[in-house]
Amino acid sequence: MGQKFSCGISERLIAKYAGVTLKQMHFDADAIILAYKKAGEIAEKLGIEPPIPRLAGFTYPHVASLGCEVIFPEDSEPKPLPIIKENTDIDNLSEPDDYLAAPLIQKKLESLEKLLEKCPYAIKSIGHLYEGPATTAMLLMGENFLTLPYDDPKRAHKLLEFSAKSAVNYANIIRKKLELPIEPCPVSIPDDFAGIFSPSIFEDFVLKYWDIIYSGMQATERHLHSELLRANHLSLLKKVNINLFDPSADQYLTPEFLRDHCPCRFTLRIKEWEIDNLSIEELEKLYERYVQCKPEIISFSLCFPEHEKKIKALLRKARSMA
């Protein structure tokens, strides 16, 4: 069986090629439609399927629904502001009466409605359903969360449980609002900050809260995205029945180590900096090396116009091995 692969176009390049800002890609239906029309020209050059119009990738709807303010710079990623200032604030956490009442959620829903009116086949989403529990706790509390499990483990558990349970409740409510199915299906958790917990406390502070989300979302398969896990974390993934692990841009878990030690299927990504720094010949050899490790899929993206020749070469290599 050949090697599966995927090739995309970065959102930043889509915006830049069309002469619109990243902020416009979050809220301006006309700018989004223009950008994705232009993105079709890039896709045609590469010989790949054109990307489907959508609101810009947004990872913070859940924490926005809980009250976090999110700042949208014109041409960089959104930045959420923590709402927990003191450890004792955790004692007063409560879920909102209406997850969709937050002004930013309302604005996102209005933007999506306008986009769907103009482009009915656009993706029906205002962003990620949630981040994983550790990442959500970090977003809600900021850097102070890093020491909380050691300084105040009881409140750390309370915050993580709140993060997990509210994630499921938000996900169900927004899916119902968007008339998306709520039924058993494969479920992915993106939890980049999970790796801040050492393996000795990982089961207690991470796995039990992943399980709340997977169970609450009726997962038929359990997929995980996390960039900070290390070698000693990998064996713990089987304790919560992870089926597919995406290390994304992690630079420490080598493809060979994943092949030999990951207890489940895994993905590999050719990273932006590798495409920037390696020659075409070196990228082709890197792809061949990745294939030897038998990942579920190998992904790469066009992020800068000057990388077009390299991406075309990677596509030729990928297609020849597919």
Side-chain angles (χ1 to χ4, degrees):
M1 184 177 178
Q3 175 63 57
K4 291 189 289 185
F5 71 93
S6 71
C7 175
I9 306 167
S10 77
E11 221 161 52
R12 185 179 294 274
L13 179 59
I14 289 174
K16 185 175 181 180
Y17 192 74
V20 303
T21 68
L22 284 175
K23 184 174 181 178
Q24 285 178 290
M25 296 285 282
H26 284 280
F27 302 110
D28 186 331
D30 290 327
I32 293 167
I33 290 169
L34 171 64
Y36 277 88
K37 181 179 179 181
K38 291 288 188 179
E41 298 173 6
I42 303 174
E44 187 175 1
K45 286 183 184 179
L46 298 177
I48 63 175
E49 289 294 316
I52 301 172
R54 61 181 302 156
L55 299 185
F58 183 53
T59 60
Y60 308 126
H62 170 219
V63 295
S65 77
L66 297 175
C68 281
E69 180 185 356
V70 182
I71 297 171
F72 288 84
E74 287 297 329
D75 265 317
S76 58
E77 296 301 317
K79 180 182 178 182
L81 304 180
I83 57 174
I84 298 172
K85 307 302 181 184
E86 305 288 342
N87 291 8
T88 52
D89 293 344
I90 295 169
D91 301 335
N92 301 316
L93 284 174
S94 62
E95 295 187 49
D97 294 331
D98 180 2
Y99 274 99
L100 307 184
L104 178 55
I105 299 298
Q106 287 294 308
K107 187 174 181 180
K108 278 284 189 179
L109 286 170
E110 290 168 8
S111 301
L112 177 62
E113 184 178 1
K114 290 176 182 177
L115 178 60
L116 290 169
E117 285 174 359
K118 295 172 180 287
C119 182
Y121 62 90
I123 293 174
K124 195 184 285 189
S125 169
I126 65 169
H128 287 193
L129 291 177
Y130 43 69
E131 290 287 296
T135 303
T136 298
M138 179 74 84
L139 294 171
L140 292 173
M141 191 171 184
E143 292 182 355
N144 290 337
F145 178 65
L146 292 171
T147 58
L148 191 68
Y150 307 96
D151 298 338
D152 196 342
K154 185 176 180 180
R155 285 195 172 100
H157 280 295
K158 187 171 184 177
L159 177 54
L160 287 162
E161 183 176 15
F162 174 80
S163 298
K165 290 183 175 179
S166 64
V168 173
N169 292 334
Y170 165 77
N172 286 333
I173 287 169
I174 192 66
R175 287 189 294 175
K176 184 177 180 181
K177 171 68 176 177
L178 298 178
E179 299 180 341
L180 299 173
I182 301 175
E183 60 190 14
C185 61
V187 170
S188 180
I189 294 178
D191 205 359
D192 281 334
F193 281 101
I196 66 173
F197 294 96
S198 66
S200 62
I201 63 171
F202 195 76
E203 184 169 1
D204 198 26
F205 282 93
V206 176
L207 298 188
K208 64 191 291 185
Y209 301 108
W210 283 351
D211 194 58
I212 287 173
I213 295 180
Y214 285 128
S215 299
M217 297 292 288
Q218 306 178 72
T220 55
E221 276 210 358
R222 298 182 171 203
H223 300 177
L224 173 69
H225 164 103
S226 191
E227 294 188 3
L228 295 179
L229 300 190
R230 297 294 175 261
N232 291 337
H233 289 107
L234 285 185
S235 63
L236 301 173
L237 299 184
K238 59 187 176 185
K239 290 195 172 187
V240 72
N241 299 318
I242 301 297
N243 303 107
L244 180 68
F245 172 49
D246 169 26
S248 190
D250 191 302
Q251 297 180 47
Y252 299 97
L253 295 176
T254 68
E256 289 78 14
F257 190 90
L258 287 164
R259 177 194 62 199
D260 296 339
H261 299 285
C262 187
C264 60
R265 307 187 326 267
F266 61 91
T267 68
L268 292 175
R269 178 175 301 182
I270 298 179
K271 296 171 277 294
E272 179 183 319
W273 67 265
E274 291 171 322
I275 295 170
D276 194 42
N277 288 289
L278 299 181
S279 67
I280 287 177
E281 293 75 17
E282 289 169 328
L283 285 168
E284 289 174 336
K285 288 180 181 178
L286 180 66
Y287 192 91
E288 291 171 356
R289 173 189 162 200
Y290 279 17
V291 170
Q292 293 302 312
C293 295
K294 302 186 184 303
E296 179 76 3
I297 193 168
I298 299 173
S299 63
F300 48 92
S301 295
L302 177 64
C303 298
F304 298 99
E306 57 266 32
H307 291 170
E308 184 179 321
K309 287 185 179 180
K310 292 182 178 181
I311 294 297
K312 285 182 175 178
L314 276 173
L315 280 166
R316 286 194 297 271
K317 174 59 69 173
R319 287 166 179 149
S320 74
M321 304 188 79

